[in-house]
Amino acid sequence: MSDIIKLLPDHIANQIAAGEVIQRPSSVVKEMVENAIDAGATKIDVVIKDAGKTLIQIVDNGKGMSPFDARMCFERHATSKVSKAEDLFTLTTKGFRGEALASVAAIAHVTLKTKLQEDELGSLVQIEGSKITKQEPIVNPTGTSFEVKNLFYNVPARRNFLKSDGIEFRHILDDFERIALAHPEVALTIRHNDTEIYNLPSCVLKKRVVDILGKSSNEKLVPIDESTDIVELKGFVGKPEFAKKKRGEQFLFVNDRYFKDSFFNHAITQAFDGLIPPKTFPSYFLYLTVNPQKIDVNVHPTKTEIKFEEDRLIYAIILSSIRQALGKYNIAPTLDFNRETSFDLPHTMNTQMPVQPKIIVNENYNPFNTTTSYSKPSTSSGFTKAIRAEGFGNSEINQQDWANFYSIKEETPNVEPQELDLEIEEVETKDFIIRGNYVFTPCKSGIMVIHHRRAQERIVYDRMMSAFIINPIQSQKLLFPYEKEVSAGEKSEWISNSTLLNRLGFETEFIEGNMLVNAVPSIIPEESINDCLDNILSTLSFRDIDKGDIAHLLIGSIAKSSSMKKKVNMTKEACELLVSELFQCSEHSFTPSGKKIIETVTMDEIAQKF
Ligand code: ADP
Ligand code: MG
C-alpha cells in the first residue's frame, strides 16, 4: 500500500483550530477587544448586528499595524507577544497564542483597516476563508478596525448550532462586561442593531462596577484591599443582605484577566458563611495581582481557567480578607467608639486627644507556620474584644493563626489600659430599654434596636460552632427519655449522621418506629426539644445539602431552638451581657439563617418624623 499521510492544508487546519478558539460570536468579540487592549487602546467601540451573526465591528485607537503586519496577523501562530519560550512565564498581555485572527479569518469575511501613528497611509486587508482577497493602502486614523461578517459562513454545522439572538447577544455582553470590569481605564462602547447598550467612560474601578451593575449598587459594595507578598487583593464584595438567588455577579480577575475558579469561589462563599441564607450567592468583584511567573494561563484555549502555584495560601488570604472587610463594615455603622460625650471619659483624659485603635498587619506572618505561639487577646471589655474578633469568628481553618495575622493593638499613651477599659465598660452599661422582643440602646447615629431572641440565637451558634470543632458539645441527660415517632427515612438519615449528632450532644436509640432521646445539648430548654428535633429531621431530609454544610445547618437549628424560651428575664445586666457577647460574634447583624438582628434608626430618620 502506498503512503497515505499528508499535511493538512492551512485553511483546513485553521478551520479546525477555529472550532476551539471561536465557539460563537462572543468569542470573536472577546479576542478582538483583548487584542485592542494589548495594542494599548484607550477607546474601543464595538458594533454588533444580529447578535454578531451578520456583523461584528471593533474599532480601536491603539498602536495599529504596519502593512506587513496587517497581512501577517492572519497567519496561524503569528503573534507579536511571544518570541521565546521564557516569555510565556512573564506574560502581561491577554493574547499570546497567535491563533485568534487566523481562526476568525478561516470562518468569516474579514476586513481589517489599520495605521501606525508614524505612517502617513494605513492598510486595508480583506480575507475570506483564509484567502486574502484584497490589500491596498488607505487613509485611516491611527489604530485598527476589524469588520467580521457572515461568521461560520463555511461551517454550516456551527452556524446551525448557534442559539437565538437573545442568547448569543447575552454571551457577547458577558464577555464585554468582564473585559470592561478588568479595564476601567479604557473607554468602551457597545451598540446592538443601532441601539447603544453601554457607553462607559474611562474611570476608577468603583465607578466602572457601578456603571455596569447600575446606580443602586453603589451602597451595596464593601471594598476589599489587602496586600501580601503572595497576592495583592483589591475589589468589592456585595453586602450580605444583597446576596442573590442566582449566581451572576461573581467576577474574579488575575492580573486584569477574567477567570473562573471554583476553589477561590469556595473561599469567598466560606467568608459569607452564616451571613447569607442558604442557596443565595454573594456578589463579588475580586482583582488578584500575582507574579506572572506563579500562574499558568496556558491551561485552556480561551484561558478562563488558570493554575496558581500558591492556590492554598491565596485561598486563605481571600477568606480572611473578606471576613475582615465584612466585619469592619458590620461594626462601623452600628458601634461607635468615638461618641462625642466628653463626660463619658475619665477625668484625666478630658484634655487628651483620643487615639484611634490601629490595625497592625504583620506582613511576615505565615498562617501555615503553626509553631508560632499565639497570645490570646486580653479579655477586657466586650467592645474591645469585638474589634479583636472582627472577621475571625468561627473559621474552620486555623482561626487562631489568622487572628494573629491581623493582631490589633490599641495605643493609649499616659493612661493605664485598665482605666480606659473600665470607662468603656461604663459607656456600654448605660441606657437599655427593653420592650417585647427588642432592646433599644442609644448610639452615635441614633438608636440601635436589637432583636434579643435572634441575638441569642447568633451567640449560641457562634459559641457552638467554635466549641464543636475542638470538643463535643455539652450534653444533658433527660430524666425521662423523650419519645418521638419517626419515619423509616428519618431514622436512616439520623443513623447515618449519628456521629455528628452525638458530637452535638444527642444520645438516641431506636425502638421500632420510635426514637428515644436520652440526652440533648444542654443549651436546649426542655420546652424546645420537640421543635429542635423536628428542625433537625427536616434539615437531614434535604436531599441536596452539601456534606460540609450539615454541621452548620444542624448547629443553626440547635441555636434557634435554644433561643425559643417561653420566659425570658431581660434585666439590664442580661442586656449588657447579650450586647457584649453579640458584638464578639463573627457576624452580629444577621442570624445564621439570614434574619436581621440589629437595626439602627438614625437621628435623620427620627427628625423626618417631626
Ligand atoms: P495573539 O493576540 O495571541 O498574539 P492574535 O491572532 O489575536 O494573536 O493576533 C495576532 C497579532 O496581530 C497580535 O500579536 C498583534 O501583533 C496583532 N494585532 C491583532 N489585533 C490588533 C490590534 N487591534 N491592534 C494592533 N495589533 C493587533
Ligand atoms: Mg489575541
Side-chain angles (χ1 to χ4, degrees):
M1 210 172 145
S2 56
D3 300 336
I4 52 168
I5 299 179
K6 291 188 292 263
L7 276 178
L8 282 176
D10 258 4
H11 69 278
I12 298 186
N14 282 341
Q15 239 185 50
I16 295 170
E20 240 198 353
V21 186
I22 309 297
Q23 281 138 6
R24 50 185 4 131
S26 68
S27 325
V28 177
V29 176
K30 171 177 182 285
E31 292 294 336
M32 294 211 167
V33 175
E34 288 189 347
N35 277 345
I37 287 174
D38 283 346
T42 54
K43 179 151 179 32
I44 304 170
D45 299 305
V46 181
V47 176
I48 306 288
K49 290 244 159 74
D50 305 321
K53 294 169 187 170
T54 320
L55 172 75
I56 297 169
Q57 187 185 28
I58 318 275
V59 183
D60 72 54
N61 66 352
K63 65 179 182 226
M65 284 182 262
S66 69
F68 175 78
D69 284 353
R71 239 187 124 99
M72 259 308 269
C73 69
F74 294 110
E75 294 292 323
R76 203 139 62 97
H77 307 306
T79 177
S80 54
K81 300 164 194 173
V82 172
S83 53
K84 47 188 189 307
E86 297 87 81
D87 293 348
L88 281 174
F89 304 102
T90 51
L91 278 170
T92 51
T93 53
K94 316 247 162 246
F96 57 89
R97 289 166 170 258
E99 280 177 335
L101 293 184
S103 300
V104 177
I107 50 166
H109 298 157
V110 182
T111 305
L112 159 64
K113 293 179 195 160
T114 186
K115 186 183 87 72
L116 292 173
Q117 164 105 55
E118 62 267 30
D119 287 353
E120 190 97 329
L121 280 181
S123 332
L124 173 140
V125 176
Q126 277 182 349
I127 182 165
E128 298 177 15
S130 300
K131 284 201 184 62
I132 293 192
T133 54
K134 195 176 195 179
Q135 175 162 25
E136 61 185 30
I138 49 153
V139 176
N140 201 57
T142 299
T144 304
S145 96
F146 279 99
E147 235 180 57
V148 179
K149 288 185 173 161
N150 310 322
L151 188 65
F152 299 126
Y153 78 98
N154 53 355
V155 202
R158 252 314 143 130
R159 206 176 161 87
N160 295 339
F161 163 85
L162 291 179
K163 299 273 180 353
S164 69
D165 282 9
I167 295 181
E168 292 301 337
F169 188 67
R170 186 62 245 174
H171 281 291
I172 291 177
L173 270 191
D174 282 347
D175 277 314
F176 180 88
E177 287 168 359
R178 288 165 187 170
I179 298 174
L181 284 167
H183 291 279
E185 76 284 1
V186 179
L188 288 153
T189 67
I190 183 166
R191 302 179 71 84
H192 187 209
N193 297 339
D194 298 324
T195 307
E196 183 176 82
I197 309 295
Y198 278 121
N199 184 349
L200 306 166
S202 156
C203 58
V204 292
L205 178 60
K206 182 158 189 189
K207 173 146 190 340
R208 179 58 57 92
V209 172
V210 171
D211 279 349
I212 288 189
L213 288 193
K215 270 209 195 84
S216 67
S217 57
N218 198 10
E219 66 266 32
K220 297 180 188 167
L221 302 172
V222 180
I224 307 289
D225 196 348
E226 191 61 75
S227 188
T228 71
D229 31 348
I230 293 154
V231 61
E232 207 180 282
L233 211 61
K234 280 203 170 25
F236 303 92
V237 294
K239 292 179 181 170
E241 59 266 41
F242 299 110
K244 293 262 153 101
K245 285 262 183 315
K246 275 203 231 146
R247 225 180 262 281
E249 292 168 0
Q250 301 195 326
F251 296 88
L252 278 174
F253 302 89
V254 59
N255 301 350
D256 300 332
R257 186 194 289 281
Y258 172 83
F259 72 112
K260 289 184 180 153
D261 194 305
S262 53
F263 187 54
F264 293 160
N265 177 60
H266 187 264
I268 300 162
T269 315
Q270 277 294 107
F272 279 86
D273 188 26
L275 304 188
I276 57 176
K279 301 223 166 65
T280 59
F281 302 94
S283 305
Y284 58 78
F285 306 83
L286 265 199
Y287 296 74
L288 285 63
T289 310
V290 300
N291 181 343
Q293 297 193 5
K294 305 237 164 162
I295 56 174
D296 181 2
V297 288
N298 211 355
V299 185
H300 193 268
T302 56
K303 300 176 289 280
T304 54
E305 285 159 32
I306 291 180
K307 266 203 264 182
F308 289 77
E309 204 175 293
E310 299 180 293
D311 55 353
R312 301 185 132 247
L313 263 175
I314 296 176
Y315 179 103
I317 293 167
I318 292 178
L319 173 63
S320 85
S321 310
I322 297 184
R323 277 224 173 124
Q324 208 221 9
L326 289 174
K328 222 187 262 172
Y329 140 71
N330 272 318
I331 281 176
T334 42
L335 270 189
D336 84 71
F337 298 96
N338 34 9
R339 250 164 70 145
E340 292 140 9
T341 41
S342 55
F343 45 83
D344 280 334
L345 291 170
H347 203 61
T348 49
M349 282 182 73
N350 274 350
T351 52
Q352 291 168 4
M353 283 297 288
V355 182
Q356 284 197 349
K358 275 193 184 163
I359 298 178
I360 307 218
V361 177
N362 175 0
E363 289 177 357
N364 297 322
Y365 181 68
N366 174 356
F368 295 97
N369 181 359
T370 44
T371 54
T372 326
S373 72
Y374 169 71
S375 61
K376 257 190 141 188
S378 77
T379 49
S380 43
S381 86
F383 279 10
T384 323
K385 272 195 284 182
I387 339 176
R388 288 207 174 100
E390 175 185 312
F392 298 95
N394 43 36
S395 159
E396 286 177 28
I397 59 153
N398 221 341
Q399 56 158 309
Q400 292 201 329
D401 280 338
W402 278 108
N404 217 5
F405 187 71
Y406 299 98
S407 58
I408 286 178
K409 203 170 129 194
E410 286 176 27
E411 285 178 20
T412 52
N414 308 329
V415 181
E416 289 289 308
Q418 196 59 35
E419 210 178 328
L420 180 71
D421 280 349
L422 274 176
E423 289 301 318
I424 292 177
E425 208 81 65
E426 198 174 297
V427 176
E428 290 170 34
T429 58
K430 275 188 181 155
D431 311 330
F432 287 109
I433 296 169
I434 305 128
R435 285 281 182 284
N437 275 331
Y438 308 99
V439 175
F440 298 78
T441 185
C443 63
K444 184 181 180 182
S445 46
I447 291 195
M448 190 156 76
V449 189
I450 301 171
H451 191 295
H452 64 70
R453 195 204 59 69
R454 292 181 184 170
Q456 192 62 39
E457 180 181 338
R458 165 53 75 182
I459 292 165
V460 171
Y461 173 85
D462 267 41
R463 216 188 279 153
M464 279 184 78
M465 243 351 230
S466 44
F468 146 85
I469 295 164
I470 307 160
N471 288 311
I473 300 293
Q474 211 180 13
S475 175
Q476 173 200 329
K477 278 248 180 298
L478 298 177
L479 214 49
F480 303 103
Y482 188 86
E483 209 174 315
K484 188 161 180 66
E485 208 181 303
V486 289
S487 71
E490 287 173 331
K491 177 177 165 182
S492 89
E493 291 292 354
W494 190 283
I495 291 172
S496 58
N497 288 290
S498 59
T499 320
L500 174 62
L501 287 159
N502 282 345
R503 210 176 159 77
L504 292 176
F506 291 97
E507 258 176 48
T508 48
E509 55 186 317
F510 289 89
I511 298 175
E512 289 162 9
N514 278 341
M515 176 162 82
L516 290 188
V517 185
N518 297 317
V520 295
S522 55
I523 197 130
I524 298 185
E526 206 158 339
E527 69 251 32
S528 306
I529 292 178
N530 192 47
D531 255 10
C532 181
L533 293 173
D534 281 342
N535 259 330
I536 289 181
L537 288 169
S538 81
T539 304
L540 292 176
S541 71
F542 262 120
R543 283 276 141 237
D544 53 348
I545 49 171
D546 225 275
K547 272 234 156 6
D549 284 347
I550 291 189
H552 93 87
L553 289 176
L554 294 187
I555 290 177
S557 309
I558 297 172
K560 185 158 190 187
S561 311
S562 80
S563 63
M564 294 290 186
K565 286 181 193 141
K566 273 206 195 104
K567 255 174 69 193
V568 184
N569 190 11
M570 284 305 272
T571 59
K572 283 207 172 173
E573 288 68 32
C575 279
E576 190 191 327
L577 188 69
L578 183 92
V579 174
S580 135
E581 284 187 338
L582 178 65
F583 283 107
Q584 290 172 53
C585 292
S586 57
E587 157 59 48
H588 48 261
S589 302
F590 292 91
T591 65
S593 52
K595 295 257 164 55
K596 195 184 263 184
I597 301 173
I598 296 179
E599 181 66 82
T600 307
V601 185
T602 63
M603 289 309 292
D604 284 349
E605 284 166 309
I606 293 171
Q608 272 171 18
K609 297 200 185 296
F610 290 89

